[in-house]
Amino acid sequence: MSNYNRVFLVGPMGAGKTTIGKLLARGLKLGFADSDSEIESRTGADIAWIFDVEGEEGFRNREESVIDEMTLLDHTVLATGGGVVMRNANRRVLASRGFVIYLHATLDEQIRRTRGDRSRPLLNGKDPEATLRELFALRDPLYREIADHVIDTDSSSPKVIAQRLLAQLP
Ligand SMILES: Nc1ncnc2c1ncn2[C@@H]1O[C@H](COP(=O)(O)OP(=O)(O)O)[C@@H](O)[C@H]1O
Ligand SMILES: O=C(O)C1=C[C@@H](OP(=O)(O)O)[C@@H](O)[C@H](O)C1
Ligand SMILES: [Mg+2]
């Protein structure tokens, strides 16, 4: 994997977009950005606060404008949030402006990796497992729709997955 200018990571919560993105960026000698961190620094508040005060719709509006800008950054690996594919406009710019990698994780692994982490407001309800299941059913086809490459993340460490991507990609 050598000639990549813009790499976009998509996938469900807990797939490792943020973690693997940093390692992949280092391996590719590209910069790293995370749309959730950018939203937080622009807003001066964390994601949970934005959901509380502005609702999911408010968060999605912020996300759409950050994604529109950040998909134009050259020499960058961009980790997105798991819900980015819910808006057509996001799918369109991701698919057309760079190389999209879908980090796939099974539901069991999503559950394991997100358990006890209060930073994801969608999982702070009564039944986070059911939420992950419903979101995955809805979103998996959308991740696949825009992906140039799909990699399974279930049974290897972030470091190994990043190495595998560096070796595998066309
Ligand atoms: N391949 C992996 N194997 C084991 N744990 C992982 C793996 N990828 C990510 N994790 C862990 O899962 C949690 C969520 O990872 P994160 O990168 O925040 O995912 P995302 O940004 O896709 O929601 C973190 O604690 C991270 O260390
Ligand atoms: O799946 C989602 O809708 C969300 C995923 C989160 O990002 P990660 O996928 O990095 O956890 C974050 O954008 C927000 O909590 C909403
Ligand atoms: Mg993340």
Side-chain angles (χ1 to χ4, degrees):
M1 191 186 190
S2 51
N3 277 318
Y4 291 89
N5 178 30
R6 298 172 185 155
V7 177
F8 307 140
L9 300 183
V10 302
M13 292 179 266
K17 303 177 295 296
T18 302
T19 312
I20 292 164
K22 289 177 188 163
L23 301 173
L24 185 61
R26 203 177 305 153
L28 289 170
K29 299 190 169 53
L30 296 178
F32 173 72
D34 187 300
S35 57
D36 285 333
S37 310
E38 182 65 20
I39 292 165
E40 288 180 328
S41 69
R42 287 187 190 193
T43 314
D46 62 20
I47 304 283
W49 185 95
I50 300 171
F51 268 73
D52 261 3
V53 174
E54 301 180 349
E56 180 168 355
E57 181 75 5
F59 172 76
R60 296 291 168 212
N61 291 337
R62 290 181 182 275
E63 183 178 49
E64 184 175 331
S65 81
V66 159
I67 289 291
D68 188 34
E69 282 182 44
M70 296 185 96
T71 47
L72 290 171
L73 291 174
D74 289 326
H75 312 295
T76 302
V77 173
L78 175 65
T80 64
V84 73
V85 291
M86 298 307 291
R87 289 208 175 169
N88 282 323
N90 294 338
R91 295 205 300 283
R92 201 171 47 242
V93 295
L94 287 164
S96 64
R97 293 177 180 172
F99 191 85
V100 179
I101 300 175
Y102 172 15
L103 299 182
H104 180 275
T106 55
L107 189 58
D108 280 354
E109 203 57 31
Q110 294 170 38
I111 291 166
R112 235 190 308 277
R113 294 181 194 165
T114 55
R115 189 173 287 143
D117 184 340
R118 307 287 300 167
S119 69
R120 294 179 175 84
L122 291 177
L123 303 182
N124 291 343
K126 256 202 296 255
D127 193 348
E129 301 190 11
T131 304
L132 280 171
R133 188 181 321 113
E134 282 157 25
L135 292 178
F136 192 55
L138 211 60
R139 295 170 176 180
D140 175 68
L142 302 176
Y143 299 134
R144 291 184 189 281
E145 176 192 304
I146 60 169
D148 296 297
H149 188 83
V150 183
I151 188 165
D152 177 53
T153 69
D154 264 30
S155 44
S156 309
S157 68
K159 193 170 153 199
V160 168
I161 292 157
Q163 282 167 349
R164 210 168 276 162
L165 282 171
L166 290 168
Q168 266 179 14
L169 288 172

